[in-house]
Amino acid sequence: MSTIVVEGVEVDTRHWINGERVASATTFTDVSPIDETPLGEIAAGGPAEVDAAVRAARAAFPAWAALPVAERSAVLRRVADGIDARAEDLARVETRDNGSLLRSHRRGVMPRVGMNFRYFADWAESLRHDDREIRGHRERITYDPAGVVAVITPWNAPLMLATWRIGPALAAGDTVVVKPPEWAPLTASLLADIAHEAGLPPGVLNVVQGTGAEAGAALTRHPDINRLSFTGSVPTAGVIAAAAAPNIVPLSFELGGKSPLLVFADGDLDLAVGLAVEQFDNAGQVCLGAFRLLVQEGIAEEFLARVIDRASALVQGDPRDEATDVSALVSRAHFERVRGFVDRAVAAGAKPLLGGGPNAALGGLYFAPTILAGAEPGSEILTEEVFGPVLTFQTFATEAEGIAMANSTRFGLAATLVTGDPGRAERVSARLNAGTVWVNCFFVRDLGAPFGGNGRSGIGREGGDYSFDFYCDIKNSVFSPGGWTVSHGEAELGAVSYREAERRAVSHGEAEQRTTETDGTDA
């Protein structure tokens, strides 16, 4: 069958290539983490489907890139309107597909999906640099569409994180081939329908489903892609980088995290406890989560008691129930991975203060909210990303010690800091190794601000101009003030290179003072 019905919503299980539905000879089974029941058989793409999608995107690129920005943006706003109109359908399908809370999809995730299109459509229309002047010459910096963009997305927030890349890429004038996650592919298929209904031309957005080993590998090594954006794990990023390297494809990687929640004794304890418990959101399957609780001595005992009390009251269960706080992990393979981290930590001496294993009352893929203490510094549980509802607890004495502990991993995606001292907030945030630092807050960011990680947390930044810096080829055009006129049998400056003009000036004893000439012209 080419369609399935999920939570009352019909979803096409075929690829979307060049404005048409395309089947594959092979399929894979999509399983709901809520109860581990199969949702349906999904078309599994490989090199042939990827090549067809890339060729379609390449063919569609000239017309889409040439479309005036205002017209492109108008199409993207219609896509946003279509997303908003179907937000409930998208929320129900994605909840069933990846197990995230329905209430979160309704209140925050799906509104953000529409915003990703609308925001970057608006931003593209205002994107410009002021002209520059150098020795009477005018320099104009412009953003040219780069070409075909490959987008490979994760399963923890598949539609929101896909559109965070698709939105600016399309607004920039690029065309896109997206490979959704095999553990949660369905809302990408619905997005294709919505974009088509909004008038997005054939080939501008293509969706190829499949596994990383087949569809993902074929896409990352394809010689006709111009940008590649990936969100996922560090090991997979290494494989992708190696595959893309021969084609010199620019990469944007948003990878893992092992972020700290750094709580000082002068901070608001109520706030700190609330932020700690918030880290169990989406069953801990959040790259930005602050899963390392680092608490200053003196308040540590009270903080820990209050966090355990609050976390014990969290409701774990079916994510379609509005009362549920913590749902299931996305797959059996991931469940076993998380359990392995905890089992190894406990075997090495860590003590579970809360949870520590599967939720015995629920069974299935439900892993109980867990807090571990007593892990050895430098141990796996403190340095590697678990990506589950597992927090670790440590204490520190001084500000310097707290900063050192916060920076003691190879990751640098985010950090959260709680303090009542403005001076400390400035000092500590400046020294934390993180792409984003939240001070007395969490998960607050304007879409125009840069987002990305340091170290093993990624490459590059996206958001606002930073997105267009990646999805565009940035051009500098230098215009001579005198055109191409000829005087005394010799071309004026602007008709010859700066190097040649300088040589002539020097030869006549007329070299200008060079206090402002280190502009890289000769590089």
Side-chain angles (χ1 to χ4, degrees):
M1 294 179 61
S2 61
T3 61
I4 57 176
V5 176
V6 179
E7 298 294 305
V9 180
E10 188 173 282
V11 184
D12 202 302
T13 60
R14 297 170 293 178
H15 314 291
W16 179 257
I17 300 173
N18 202 26
E20 296 181 344
R21 289 292 175 180
V22 176
S24 286
T26 59
T27 63
F28 64 93
T29 305
D30 186 25
V31 176
S32 173
I34 297 174
D35 50 16
E36 295 186 273
T37 59
L39 298 177
E41 294 299 308
I42 312 300
E49 290 85 356
V50 166
D51 186 60
V54 173
R55 284 189 285 108
R58 175 60 58 199
F61 172 68
W64 180 249
L67 201 64
V69 174
E71 294 183 34
R72 285 202 304 264
S73 293
V75 176
L76 298 186
R77 291 189 190 98
R78 291 199 299 271
V79 175
D81 291 342
I83 290 168
D84 292 345
R86 298 200 64 185
E88 179 65 17
D89 288 351
L90 294 166
R92 293 203 310 271
V93 170
E94 191 151 292
T95 291
R96 186 67 168 147
D97 204 14
N98 83 335
S100 296
L101 298 184
L102 180 58
R103 74 184 191 203
S104 295
H105 281 138
R106 283 171 169 163
R107 298 172 192 175
V109 176
M110 294 310 161
R112 165 69 187 275
V113 170
M115 188 185 302
N116 283 338
F117 281 95
R118 191 172 287 109
Y119 185 92
F120 286 106
D122 292 345
W123 196 282
E125 291 193 78
S126 62
L127 185 67
R128 61 179 54 85
H129 281 283
D130 291 336
D131 286 358
R132 302 165 63 91
E133 189 274 334
I134 175 70
R135 295 187 300 278
H137 291 63
R138 176 168 54 89
E139 292 184 304
R140 172 159 295 167
I141 300 169
T142 54
Y143 289 83
D144 291 352
V148 177
V149 175
V151 176
I152 301 176
T153 58
W155 44 260
N156 61 323
L159 189 58
M160 189 270 283
L161 292 176
T163 56
W164 165 239
R165 275 78 185 189
I166 295 169
L170 295 182
D174 299 328
T175 54
V176 174
V177 178
V178 58
K179 192 207 87 68
E182 57 264 39
W183 287 347
L186 299 182
T187 47
S189 180
L190 293 177
L191 176 65
D193 293 335
I194 292 169
H196 176 65
E197 292 166 4
L200 197 68
V204 173
L205 173 65
N206 306 272
V207 178
V208 179
Q209 300 150 158
T211 66
E214 292 293 327
L219 184 57
T220 57
R221 66 173 179 256
H222 200 285
D224 208 21
I225 61 172
N226 302 101
R227 296 290 189 274
L228 198 159
S229 179
F230 168 73
T231 303
S233 71
V234 172
T236 302
V239 173
I240 289 173
N247 299 315
I248 319 297
V249 177
L251 304 170
S252 177
F253 282 168
E254 196 267 282
L255 308 177
K258 193 66 177 179
S259 303
L261 170 58
L262 193 58
V263 182
F264 286 93
D266 57 23
D268 183 329
L269 192 57
D270 288 337
L271 171 66
V273 169
L275 291 176
V277 175
E278 190 176 346
Q279 307 312 310
F280 290 115
D281 181 53
N282 204 26
Q285 299 168 128
V286 180
C287 58
L288 290 164
F291 299 113
R292 292 186 294 136
L293 307 180
L294 309 179
V295 186
Q296 194 165 28
E297 296 171 359
I299 62 166
E301 185 175 347
E302 182 182 359
F303 171 88
L304 184 58
R306 291 176 60 178
V307 169
I308 291 173
D309 183 62
R310 287 271 300 274
S312 298
L314 293 173
V315 176
Q316 188 167 28
D318 192 319
R320 295 168 294 186
D321 187 336
E322 283 278 330
T324 297
D325 300 307
V326 182
S327 183
L329 297 179
V330 72
S331 71
R332 176 58 59 180
H334 186 59
F335 180 90
E336 295 301 335
R337 180 181 182 275
V338 171
R339 178 157 63 178
F341 269 108
V342 174
D343 288 349
R344 291 190 298 274
V346 172
K351 179 182 178 182
L353 305 180
L354 179 71
N359 186 319
L362 294 174
L365 302 182
Y366 294 85
F367 199 94
T370 296
I371 300 175
L372 302 175
E376 285 294 317
S379 61
E380 177 190 61
I381 198 69
L382 298 178
T383 58
E384 297 299 323
E385 184 178 47
V386 177
F387 219 60
V390 180
L391 310 184
T392 59
F393 175 78
Q394 298 170 275
T395 63
F396 64 90
T398 66
E399 182 177 297
E401 183 183 7
I403 293 170
M405 292 171 69
N407 290 339
S408 63
T409 80
R410 294 173 292 175
F411 294 99
L413 186 57
T416 303
L417 165 64
V418 178
T419 179
D421 182 343
R424 171 171 279 156
E426 295 287 349
R427 287 193 309 274
V428 175
S429 61
R431 294 181 61 190
L432 291 174
N433 177 31
T436 300
V437 177
W438 284 291
V439 180
N440 295 330
C441 60
F442 182 64
F443 239 55
V444 179
R445 185 180 64 83
D446 183 87
L447 294 187
F451 177 74
N454 304 336
R456 289 170 67 87
S457 287
I459 298 173
R461 297 292 186 270
E462 295 191 37
D465 280 1
Y466 305 92
S467 288
F468 290 95
D469 288 346
F470 176 70
Y471 293 112
C472 292
D473 287 326
I474 302 175
K475 178 189 293 177
N476 181 30
S477 300
V478 185
F479 296 88
S480 164
W484 290 268
T485 60
V486 176
S487 174
H488 305 296
E490 181 173 84
E492 296 180 356
L493 185 64
V496 295
S497 70
Y498 167 59
R499 187 190 298 274
E500 175 65 12
E502 183 183 48
R503 186 193 64 75
R504 295 178 188 181
V506 171
S507 69
H508 289 86
E510 299 170 357
E512 297 177 349
Q513 186 177 6
R514 301 189 186 94
T515 57
T516 62
E517 294 180 353
T518 56
D519 63 325
T521 306
D522 297 332

mmCIF file with all atom_site columns, all heavy atoms in Angstrom, residues 62-79:
data_model
loop_
_atom_site.group_PDB
_atom_site.id
_atom_site.type_symbol
_atom_site.label_atom_id
_atom_site.label_alt_id
_atom_site.label_comp_id
_atom_site.label_asym_id
_atom_site.label_entity_id
_atom_site.label_seq_id
_atom_site.pdbx_PDB_ins_code
_atom_site.Cartn_x
_atom_site.Cartn_y
_atom_site.Cartn_z
_atom_site.occupancy
_atom_site.B_iso_or_equiv
_atom_site.pdbx_formal_charge
_atom_site.auth_seq_id
_atom_site.auth_comp_id
_atom_site.auth_asym_id
_atom_site.auth_atom_id
_atom_site.pdbx_PDB_model_num
ATOM 1   N N   . PRO A 1 62 ? 17.913 26.482 -11.367 1.00 0.00 ? 62 PRO A N   1
ATOM 2   C CA  . PRO A 1 62 ? 18.036 27.778 -12.055 1.00 0.00 ? 62 PRO A CA  1
ATOM 3   C C   . PRO A 1 62 ? 16.787 28.644 -11.950 1.00 0.00 ? 62 PRO A C   1
ATOM 4   O O   . PRO A 1 62 ? 16.874 29.851 -11.681 1.00 0.00 ? 62 PRO A O   1
ATOM 5   C CB  . PRO A 1 62 ? 18.330 27.378 -13.507 1.00 0.00 ? 62 PRO A CB  1
ATOM 6   C CG  . PRO A 1 62 ? 18.980 26.038 -13.395 1.00 0.00 ? 62 PRO A CG  1
ATOM 7   C CD  . PRO A 1 62 ? 18.266 25.359 -12.267 1.00 0.00 ? 62 PRO A CD  1
ATOM 8   N N   . ALA A 1 63 ? 15.623 28.052 -12.152 1.00 0.00 ? 63 ALA A N   1
ATOM 9   C CA  . ALA A 1 63 ? 14.391 28.844 -12.115 1.00 0.00 ? 63 ALA A CA  1
ATOM 10  C C   . ALA A 1 63 ? 14.078 29.321 -10.699 1.00 0.00 ? 63 ALA A C   1
ATOM 11  O O   . ALA A 1 63 ? 13.661 30.470 -10.499 1.00 0.00 ? 63 ALA A O   1
ATOM 12  C CB  . ALA A 1 63 ? 13.221 28.030 -12.670 1.00 0.00 ? 63 ALA A CB  1
ATOM 13  N N   . TRP A 1 64 ? 14.278 28.444 -9.721  1.00 0.00 ? 64 TRP A N   1
ATOM 14  C CA  . TRP A 1 64 ? 13.999 28.835 -8.333  1.00 0.00 ? 64 TRP A CA  1
ATOM 15  C C   . TRP A 1 64 ? 14.974 29.917 -7.867  1.00 0.00 ? 64 TRP A C   1
ATOM 16  O O   . TRP A 1 64 ? 14.582 30.888 -7.229  1.00 0.00 ? 64 TRP A O   1
ATOM 17  C CB  . TRP A 1 64 ? 14.064 27.612 -7.424  1.00 0.00 ? 64 TRP A CB  1
ATOM 18  C CG  . TRP A 1 64 ? 13.793 27.891 -5.982  1.00 0.00 ? 64 TRP A CG  1
ATOM 19  C CD1 . TRP A 1 64 ? 14.674 27.841 -4.952  1.00 0.00 ? 64 TRP A CD1 1
ATOM 20  C CD2 . TRP A 1 64 ? 12.534 28.270 -5.399  1.00 0.00 ? 64 TRP A CD2 1
ATOM 21  N NE1 . TRP A 1 64 ? 14.055 28.155 -3.765  1.00 0.00 ? 64 TRP A NE1 1
ATOM 22  C CE2 . TRP A 1 64 ? 12.737 28.420 -4.007  1.00 0.00 ? 64 TRP A CE2 1
ATOM 23  C CE3 . TRP A 1 64 ? 11.251 28.488 -5.915  1.00 0.00 ? 64 TRP A CE3 1
ATOM 24  C CZ2 . TRP A 1 64 ? 11.720 28.781 -3.133  1.00 0.00 ? 64 TRP A CZ2 1
ATOM 25  C CZ3 . TRP A 1 64 ? 10.230 28.858 -5.049  1.00 0.00 ? 64 TRP A CZ3 1
ATOM 26  C CH2 . TRP A 1 64 ? 10.470 28.998 -3.675  1.00 0.00 ? 64 TRP A CH2 1
ATOM 27  N N   . ALA A 1 65 ? 16.245 29.769 -8.230  1.00 0.00 ? 65 ALA A N   1
ATOM 28  C CA  . ALA A 1 65 ? 17.250 30.761 -7.836  1.00 0.00 ? 65 ALA A CA  1
ATOM 29  C C   . ALA A 1 65 ? 16.994 32.105 -8.503  1.00 0.00 ? 65 ALA A C   1
ATOM 30  O O   . ALA A 1 65 ? 17.280 33.165 -7.910  1.00 0.00 ? 65 ALA A O   1
ATOM 31  C CB  . ALA A 1 65 ? 18.644 30.249 -8.193  1.00 0.00 ? 65 ALA A CB  1
ATOM 32  N N   . ALA A 1 66 ? 16.483 32.077 -9.734  1.00 0.00 ? 66 ALA A N   1
ATOM 33  C CA  . ALA A 1 66 ? 16.245 33.325 -10.468 1.00 0.00 ? 66 ALA A CA  1
ATOM 34  C C   . ALA A 1 66 ? 14.969 34.028 -10.043 1.00 0.00 ? 66 ALA A C   1
ATOM 35  O O   . ALA A 1 66 ? 14.765 35.210 -10.376 1.00 0.00 ? 66 ALA A O   1
ATOM 36  C CB  . ALA A 1 66 ? 16.199 33.026 -11.969 1.00 0.00 ? 66 ALA A CB  1
ATOM 37  N N   . LEU A 1 67 ? 14.110 33.323 -9.328  1.00 0.00 ? 67 LEU A N   1
ATOM 38  C CA  . LEU A 1 67 ? 12.858 33.933 -8.885  1.00 0.00 ? 67 LEU A CA  1
ATOM 39  C C   . LEU A 1 67 ? 13.163 35.082 -7.928  1.00 0.00 ? 67 LEU A C   1
ATOM 40  O O   . LEU A 1 67 ? 13.986 34.925 -7.017  1.00 0.00 ? 67 LEU A O   1
ATOM 41  C CB  . LEU A 1 67 ? 11.994 32.882 -8.181  1.00 0.00 ? 67 LEU A CB  1
ATOM 42  C CG  . LEU A 1 67 ? 10.497 33.131 -8.072  1.00 0.00 ? 67 LEU A CG  1
ATOM 43  C CD1 . LEU A 1 67 ? 9.850  33.165 -9.446  1.00 0.00 ? 67 LEU A CD1 1
ATOM 44  C CD2 . LEU A 1 67 ? 9.863  32.040 -7.208  1.00 0.00 ? 67 LEU A CD2 1
ATOM 45  N N   . PRO A 1 68 ? 12.562 36.251 -8.109  1.00 0.00 ? 68 PRO A N   1
ATOM 46  C CA  . PRO A 1 68 ? 12.818 37.349 -7.167  1.00 0.00 ? 68 PRO A CA  1
ATOM 47  C C   . PRO A 1 68 ? 12.565 36.918 -5.723  1.00 0.00 ? 68 PRO A C   1
ATOM 48  O O   . PRO A 1 68 ? 11.661 36.116 -5.447  1.00 0.00 ? 68 PRO A O   1
ATOM 49  C CB  . PRO A 1 68 ? 11.823 38.426 -7.621  1.00 0.00 ? 68 PRO A CB  1
ATOM 50  C CG  . PRO A 1 68 ? 11.607 38.145 -9.071  1.00 0.00 ? 68 PRO A CG  1
ATOM 51  C CD  . PRO A 1 68 ? 11.653 36.651 -9.201  1.00 0.00 ? 68 PRO A CD  1
ATOM 52  N N   . VAL A 1 69 ? 13.374 37.445 -4.834  1.00 0.00 ? 69 VAL A N   1
ATOM 53  C CA  . VAL A 1 69 ? 13.295 37.029 -3.429  1.00 0.00 ? 69 VAL A CA  1
ATOM 54  C C   . VAL A 1 69 ? 11.884 37.190 -2.889  1.00 0.00 ? 69 VAL A C   1
ATOM 55  O O   . VAL A 1 69 ? 11.384 36.320 -2.158  1.00 0.00 ? 69 VAL A O   1
ATOM 56  C CB  . VAL A 1 69 ? 14.300 37.832 -2.583  1.00 0.00 ? 69 VAL A CB  1
ATOM 57  C CG1 . VAL A 1 69 ? 14.127 37.505 -1.099  1.00 0.00 ? 69 VAL A CG1 1
ATOM 58  C CG2 . VAL A 1 69 ? 15.727 37.539 -3.005  1.00 0.00 ? 69 VAL A CG2 1
ATOM 59  N N   . ALA A 1 70 ? 11.221 38.264 -3.222  1.00 0.00 ? 70 ALA A N   1
ATOM 60  C CA  . ALA A 1 70 ? 9.865  38.495 -2.705  1.00 0.00 ? 70 ALA A CA  1
ATOM 61  C C   . ALA A 1 70 ? 8.907  37.388 -3.154  1.00 0.00 ? 70 ALA A C   1
ATOM 62  O O   . ALA A 1 70 ? 8.020  36.978 -2.389  1.00 0.00 ? 70 ALA A O   1
ATOM 63  C CB  . ALA A 1 70 ? 9.360  39.855 -3.157  1.00 0.00 ? 70 ALA A CB  1
ATOM 64  N N   . GLU A 1 71 ? 9.091  36.891 -4.364  1.00 0.00 ? 71 GLU A N   1
ATOM 65  C CA  . GLU A 1 71 ? 8.219  35.826 -4.856  1.00 0.00 ? 71 GLU A CA  1
ATOM 66  C C   . GLU A 1 71 ? 8.534  34.494 -4.184  1.00 0.00 ? 71 GLU A C   1
ATOM 67  O O   . GLU A 1 71 ? 7.631  33.714 -3.853  1.00 0.00 ? 71 GLU A O   1
ATOM 68  C CB  . GLU A 1 71 ? 8.334  35.716 -6.380  1.00 0.00 ? 71 GLU A CB  1
ATOM 69  C CG  . GLU A 1 71 ? 7.807  36.948 -7.118  1.00 0.00 ? 71 GLU A CG  1
ATOM 70  C CD  . GLU A 1 71 ? 7.865  36.794 -8.630  1.00 0.00 ? 71 GLU A CD  1
ATOM 71  O OE1 . GLU A 1 71 ? 7.673  35.656 -9.110  1.00 0.00 ? 71 GLU A OE1 1
ATOM 72  O OE2 . GLU A 1 71 ? 8.098  37.805 -9.319  1.00 0.00 ? 71 GLU A OE2 1
ATOM 73  N N   . ARG A 1 72 ? 9.831  34.208 -3.998  1.00 0.00 ? 72 ARG A N   1
ATOM 74  C CA  . ARG A 1 72 ? 10.189 32.998 -3.248  1.00 0.00 ? 72 ARG A CA  1
ATOM 75  C C   . ARG A 1 72 ? 9.616  33.052 -1.841  1.00 0.00 ? 72 ARG A C   1
ATOM 76  O O   . ARG A 1 72 ? 9.061  32.076 -1.330  1.00 0.00 ? 72 ARG A O   1
ATOM 77  C CB  . ARG A 1 72 ? 11.711 32.848 -3.166  1.00 0.00 ? 72 ARG A CB  1
ATOM 78  C CG  . ARG A 1 72 ? 12.384 32.399 -4.412  1.00 0.00 ? 72 ARG A CG  1
ATOM 79  C CD  . ARG A 1 72 ? 13.740 31.767 -4.120  1.00 0.00 ? 72 ARG A CD  1
ATOM 80  N NE  . ARG A 1 72 ? 14.650 32.609 -3.374  1.00 0.00 ? 72 ARG A NE  1
ATOM 81  C CZ  . ARG A 1 72 ? 15.582 33.370 -3.909  1.00 0.00 ? 72 ARG A CZ  1
ATOM 82  N NH1 . ARG A 1 72 ? 15.737 33.425 -5.221  1.00 0.00 ? 72 ARG A NH1 1
ATOM 83  N NH2 . ARG A 1 72 ? 16.398 34.079 -3.135  1.00 0.00 ? 72 ARG A NH2 1
ATOM 84  N N   . SER A 1 73 ? 9.778  34.201 -1.204  1.00 0.00 ? 73 SER A N   1
ATOM 85  C CA  . SER A 1 73 ? 9.303  34.345 0.171   1.00 0.00 ? 73 SER A CA  1
ATOM 86  C C   . SER A 1 73 ? 7.792  34.181 0.259   1.00 0.00 ? 73 SER A C   1
ATOM 87  O O   . SER A 1 73 ? 7.277  33.612 1.231   1.00 0.00 ? 73 SER A O   1
ATOM 88  C CB  . SER A 1 73 ? 9.727  35.709 0.734   1.00 0.00 ? 73 SER A CB  1
ATOM 89  O OG  . SER A 1 73 ? 11.128 35.783 0.879   1.00 0.00 ? 73 SER A OG  1
ATOM 90  N N   . ALA A 1 74 ? 7.081  34.646 -0.747  1.00 0.00 ? 74 ALA A N   1
ATOM 91  C CA  . ALA A 1 74 ? 5.622  34.499 -0.742  1.00 0.00 ? 74 ALA A CA  1
ATOM 92  C C   . ALA A 1 74 ? 5.229  33.026 -0.767  1.00 0.00 ? 74 ALA A C   1
ATOM 93  O O   . ALA A 1 74 ? 4.288  32.606 -0.079  1.00 0.00 ? 74 ALA A O   1
ATOM 94  C CB  . ALA A 1 74 ? 5.016  35.243 -1.930  1.00 0.00 ? 74 ALA A CB  1
ATOM 95  N N   . VAL A 1 75 ? 5.952  32.217 -1.543  1.00 0.00 ? 75 VAL A N   1
ATOM 96  C CA  . VAL A 1 75 ? 5.671  30.781 -1.571  1.00 0.00 ? 75 VAL A CA  1
ATOM 97  C C   . VAL A 1 75 ? 5.939  30.161 -0.207  1.00 0.00 ? 75 VAL A C   1
ATOM 98  O O   . VAL A 1 75 ? 5.147  29.360 0.307   1.00 0.00 ? 75 VAL A O   1
ATOM 99  C CB  . VAL A 1 75 ? 6.517  30.084 -2.658  1.00 0.00 ? 75 VAL A CB  1
ATOM 100 C CG1 . VAL A 1 75 ? 6.290  28.575 -2.609  1.00 0.00 ? 75 VAL A CG1 1
ATOM 101 C CG2 . VAL A 1 75 ? 6.186  30.625 -4.036  1.00 0.00 ? 75 VAL A CG2 1
ATOM 102 N N   . LEU A 1 76 ? 7.051  30.540 0.404   1.00 0.00 ? 76 LEU A N   1
ATOM 103 C CA  . LEU A 1 76 ? 7.403  29.966 1.705   1.00 0.00 ? 76 LEU A CA  1
ATOM 104 C C   . LEU A 1 76 ? 6.412  30.374 2.788   1.00 0.00 ? 76 LEU A C   1
ATOM 105 O O   . LEU A 1 76 ? 6.131  29.593 3.703   1.00 0.00 ? 76 LEU A O   1
ATOM 106 C CB  . LEU A 1 76 ? 8.821  30.376 2.092   1.00 0.00 ? 76 LEU A CB  1
ATOM 107 C CG  . LEU A 1 76 ? 9.924  29.896 1.141   1.00 0.00 ? 76 LEU A CG  1
ATOM 108 C CD1 . LEU A 1 76 ? 11.294 30.231 1.704   1.00 0.00 ? 76 LEU A CD1 1
ATOM 109 C CD2 . LEU A 1 76 ? 9.813  28.403 0.875   1.00 0.00 ? 76 LEU A CD2 1
ATOM 110 N N   . ARG A 1 77 ? 5.864  31.565 2.682   1.00 0.00 ? 77 ARG A N   1
ATOM 111 C CA  . ARG A 1 77 ? 4.842  31.962 3.662   1.00 0.00 ? 77 ARG A CA  1
ATOM 112 C C   . ARG A 1 77 ? 3.571  31.131 3.468   1.00 0.00 ? 77 ARG A C   1
ATOM 113 O O   . ARG A 1 77 ? 2.884  30.820 4.444   1.00 0.00 ? 77 ARG A O   1
ATOM 114 C CB  . ARG A 1 77 ? 4.539  33.459 3.531   1.00 0.00 ? 77 ARG A CB  1
ATOM 115 C CG  . ARG A 1 77 ? 5.694  34.349 3.978   1.00 0.00 ? 77 ARG A CG  1
ATOM 116 C CD  . ARG A 1 77 ? 5.297  35.816 4.035   1.00 0.00 ? 77 ARG A CD  1
ATOM 117 N NE  . ARG A 1 77 ? 6.471  36.646 4.245   1.00 0.00 ? 77 ARG A NE  1
ATOM 118 C CZ  . ARG A 1 77 ? 7.141  37.287 3.284   1.00 0.00 ? 77 ARG A CZ  1
ATOM 119 N NH1 . ARG A 1 77 ? 6.707  37.213 2.029   1.00 0.00 ? 77 ARG A NH1 1
ATOM 120 N NH2 . ARG A 1 77 ? 8.208  37.998 3.566   1.00 0.00 ? 77 ARG A NH2 1
ATOM 121 N N   . ARG A 1 78 ? 3.281  30.770 2.229   1.00 0.00 ? 78 ARG A N   1
ATOM 122 C CA  . ARG A 1 78 ? 2.128  29.888 2.014   1.00 0.00 ? 78 ARG A CA  1
ATOM 123 C C   . ARG A 1 78 ? 2.405  28.496 2.586   1.00 0.00 ? 78 ARG A C   1
ATOM 124 O O   . ARG A 1 78 ? 1.493  27.844 3.109   1.00 0.00 ? 78 ARG A O   1
ATOM 125 C CB  . ARG A 1 78 ? 1.806  29.798 0.520   1.00 0.00 ? 78 ARG A CB  1
ATOM 126 C CG  . ARG A 1 78 ? 1.258  31.089 -0.075  1.00 0.00 ? 78 ARG A CG  1
ATOM 127 C CD  . ARG A 1 78 ? 0.533  30.850 -1.391  1.00 0.00 ? 78 ARG A CD  1
ATOM 128 N NE  . ARG A 1 78 ? 1.385  30.293 -2.430  1.00 0.00 ? 78 ARG A NE  1
ATOM 129 C CZ  . ARG A 1 78 ? 2.109  31.027 -3.283  1.00 0.00 ? 78 ARG A CZ  1
ATOM 130 N NH1 . ARG A 1 78 ? 2.090  32.354 -3.189  1.00 0.00 ? 78 ARG A NH1 1
ATOM 131 N NH2 . ARG A 1 78 ? 2.836  30.438 -4.215  1.00 0.00 ? 78 ARG A NH2 1
ATOM 132 N N   . VAL A 1 79 ? 3.647  28.039 2.491   1.00 0.00 ? 79 VAL A N   1
ATOM 133 C CA  . VAL A 1 79 ? 4.003  26.771 3.136   1.00 0.00 ? 79 VAL A CA  1
ATOM 134 C C   . VAL A 1 79 ? 3.787  26.877 4.639   1.00 0.00 ? 79 VAL A C   1
ATOM 135 O O   . VAL A 1 79 ? 3.214  25.973 5.264   1.00 0.00 ? 79 VAL A O   1
ATOM 136 C CB  . VAL A 1 79 ? 5.469  26.389 2.831   1.00 0.00 ? 79 VAL A CB  1
ATOM 137 C CG1 . VAL A 1 79 ? 5.870  25.134 3.616   1.00 0.00 ? 79 VAL A CG1 1
ATOM 138 C CG2 . VAL A 1 79 ? 5.671  26.152 1.330   1.00 0.00 ? 79 VAL A CG2 1
#
